[in-house]
Amino acid sequence: MPEKQLEALLLCHTPEPETAIALAGRLCYSDSDILSLKEAVEGKSKKFISRLLSMGHLSPIEHASFTFAAQGVSRALLAQITRHRIASFSVQSQRYVKKDALDFIVPPSIRALGEEAELKYIAQMEQCQAFYQGWLERGIPAEDARFLLPNGAETRMVFTMNARELMHFFSLRCCNRAQWEIRALAWAMLGMCLREAPALFAKSGPSCIAGACPEGKMSCGKAEAMRATLDKLKALASYGADDAEITRFARENCI
């Protein structure tokens, strides 16, 4: 039963996302025809997007969408990310995909306790697999045997969010108070978005980077560290780092 770790990919996105958004935004304030507007925004989309963001006019931002894939993530993460309802998800089914070996995620807090604790956790995962396999061998369908599988079981998914929902997602899930696994995924996704559309996501990230922390007394108190991490991620994205390099940065710096 191998341990898995986060792998994130940006599969595709709206072609020229910043141009599409700028065109949609200009349309709201112009009597020009579409082709004229398209010519008007060429080379000027970054400046106009900045104006839209500063005005709080965010509906045009919804015209760009980004499709990601993630594997090496837990069912616990799945339960969290699907709460973001303005998104589309396709998830590996535990009903139709039988597991001869249970791939799983090891929480850093358990690994931090040392080898003995980690081996105990692995043994418990193996016991869950044994229970699951035992029911399959008795002819129980996978859709029922899966009730024995833990939240730590690995899953894989493809999901799509528009840029406005991504901004909201980043403000919540890049925060230090977000659970460690979805936080790492969020930072990886943010890095990929910054690489593809830097003007669009220039102000994205945890809420504290642009103002006061909204967590009040529950604040982590590390706003400066968050800004420093974001600056490093922007530098990484600016020279075109690939998905694997950005994901590795998130695993090493954002958990």
Side-chain angles (χ1 to χ4, degrees):
M1 294 197 311
E3 175 196 349
K4 297 293 186 179
Q5 62 180 2
L6 169 66
E7 296 178 58
L9 297 168
L10 176 58
L11 297 180
C12 56
H13 59 78
T14 300
E16 300 183 48
E18 294 178 340
T19 299
I21 290 168
L23 173 57
R26 285 290 296 269
L27 178 66
C28 297
Y29 304 100
S30 175
D31 190 39
S32 300
D33 63 82
I34 299 296
L35 289 178
S36 297
L37 283 174
K38 189 174 186 300
E39 293 177 0
V41 301
E42 287 181 359
K44 302 175 184 178
S45 57
K46 290 177 172 56
K47 182 178 180 180
F48 193 74
I49 285 173
S50 179
R51 285 183 59 195
L52 288 175
L53 293 174
S54 66
M55 293 163 58
H57 185 187
L58 301 182
S59 58
I61 306 298
E62 298 172 17
H63 290 294
S65 63
F66 294 74
T67 298
F68 300 89
Q71 60 184 9
V73 296
S74 71
R75 301 290 293 195
L77 180 146
L78 176 64
Q80 296 177 81
I81 197 169
T82 50
R83 292 173 185 165
H84 294 270
R85 293 183 294 276
I86 307 177
S88 300
F89 297 91
S90 298
V91 182
Q92 186 181 67
S93 171
Q94 286 184 334
R95 183 183 184 191
Y96 295 109
V97 180
K98 296 181 181 180
K99 289 290 187 180
D100 295 327
L102 178 60
D103 298 326
F104 59 87
I105 313 303
V106 178
S109 59
I110 290 177
R111 178 170 285 114
L113 293 175
E115 183 179 3
E116 183 179 352
E118 186 172 352
L119 289 174
K120 182 177 181 179
Y121 175 85
I122 293 172
Q124 291 168 341
M125 285 289 177
E126 290 173 343
Q127 189 66 69
C128 291
Q129 170 67 21
F131 291 145
Y132 169 79
Q133 198 65 40
W135 286 112
L136 288 178
E137 291 170 359
R138 292 186 64 179
I140 298 300
E143 66 179 27
D144 294 334
R146 64 179 169 166
F147 279 55
L148 274 298
L149 296 177
N151 268 337
E154 187 232 10
T155 193
R156 300 161 192 177
M157 69 185 85
V158 172
F159 55 100
T160 301
M161 296 182 183
N162 69 51
R164 185 177 184 179
E165 174 61 13
L166 279 167
M167 291 175 180
H168 178 243
F169 178 78
F170 295 144
S171 71
L172 297 176
R173 302 301 188 173
C174 290
C175 174
N176 257 353
R177 284 186 43 76
Q179 185 258 359
W180 63 270
E181 190 181 17
I182 198 169
R183 184 170 69 242
L185 175 60
W187 279 94
M189 292 164 58
L190 175 57
M192 296 168 198
C193 288
L194 284 167
R195 182 188 63 206
E196 303 301 325
L200 179 56
F201 293 98
K203 297 182 180 181
S204 293
S207 297
C208 63
I209 65 160
C213 173
E215 295 291 326
K217 292 182 179 179
M218 293 186 289
S219 172
C220 72
K222 298 179 180 178
E224 288 302 320
M226 291 290 94
R227 295 185 187 111
T229 299
L230 182 58
D231 286 343
K232 292 177 183 177
L233 184 63
K234 286 182 175 180
L236 194 64
S238 68
Y239 76 75
D242 63 19
D243 292 352
E245 189 172 359
I246 289 173
T247 302
R248 184 165 56 251
F249 174 91
R251 288 199 308 262
E252 294 175 354
N253 295 275
C254 305
I255 290 179

